[in-house]
Amino acid sequence: MALLDILVAPHPTLAKKAEDVTEVTDEIRETLDNMLETMYKAPGIGLAANQVGILKRMIVVDVANPEEEEPAPIKLINPVITQSSDDLSTYQEGCLSVPTFYEEVERPEKITVEYLDENGQKQSLKAEGLLATCIQHEIDHLNGVLFVDHLSRLKKNMIVKKLNKLKKQGAFDKRQDTHTL
Ligand code: NI
């Protein structure tokens, strides 16, 4: 396994739409393992392939609390949300590609997501709470959308401007953030 570099916004790959995985190969499985390892190391609770410069529709998530629960990694290939609740919930979201910033984002509280697992088998998962938020946040990445895109333009521009400045200062060259999605 290998650690992958996480892209920091603004970056063109983070704004691009990822393409469907056409065949679940050993290479895909290895990439998913590397993504998980990278996510745990960050540490984070979710990571999308765009964030490590790969424009394929793959995400990994694990919302288990490492201090109280066993790891519960989920690898999702070509995830599609087939149902969303009308009820919404709000979480303060962060992102490994938007380090140091957290903002509240409102999303459907419950979702059903269909995807292929690492064996290429079709799966369906009902998620709610933090897991539902995390999966929606990661699928946004696959569509070139960041959580800051859900904020007002003013707020988003301010964050991107600050990130640009921090990047120029080399603030994220060796990161040890305690961030999330
Ligand atoms: Ni993110």
Side-chain angles (χ1 to χ4, degrees), residues 33-52:
D33 284 340
N34 290 338
M35 284 171 61
L36 257 187
E37 192 186 359
T38 303
M39 180 192 85
Y40 285 131
K41 177 85 193 308
I45 61 171
L47 189 71
N50 295 47
Q51 293 179 272
V52 291

Side-chain angles (χ1 to χ4, degrees), residues 51 95 137 141 181:
Q51 293 179 272
C95 178
H137 174 119
H141 275 300
L181 318 161

Side-chain angles (χ1 to χ4, degrees), residues 25-72:
T25 59
D26 284 344
E27 193 190 339
I28 292 290
R29 281 183 278 273
E30 193 184 335
T31 303
L32 285 163
D33 284 340
N34 290 338
M35 284 171 61
L36 257 187
E37 192 186 359
T38 303
M39 180 192 85
Y40 285 131
K41 177 85 193 308
I45 61 171
L47 189 71
N50 295 47
Q51 293 179 272
V52 291
I54 299 168
L55 286 169
K56 289 196 173 138
R57 301 188 79 80
M58 307 190 275
I59 64 176
V60 293
V61 300
D62 186 345
V63 299
N65 180 341
E67 287 169 18
E68 295 170 8
E69 297 168 302
E70 291 296 312

Side-chain angles (χ1 to χ4, degrees), residues 89-95 98-107 133 137 146-152 154-156 158-160 162 179-181:
S89 65
T90 303
Y91 275 94
Q92 192 160 55
E93 296 190 18
C95 178
V98 189
T100 74
F101 292 93
Y102 296 88
E103 293 291 341
E104 287 191 342
V105 178
E106 195 177 49
R107 301 181 188 269
T133 287
H137 174 119
L146 301 174
F147 82 89
V148 293
D149 293 313
H150 292 278
L151 309 176
S152 70
L154 190 74
K155 217 168 211 180
K156 180 191 165 177
M158 186 198 76
I159 290 174
V160 171
K162 284 186 183 167
H179 295 116
T180 45
L181 318 161

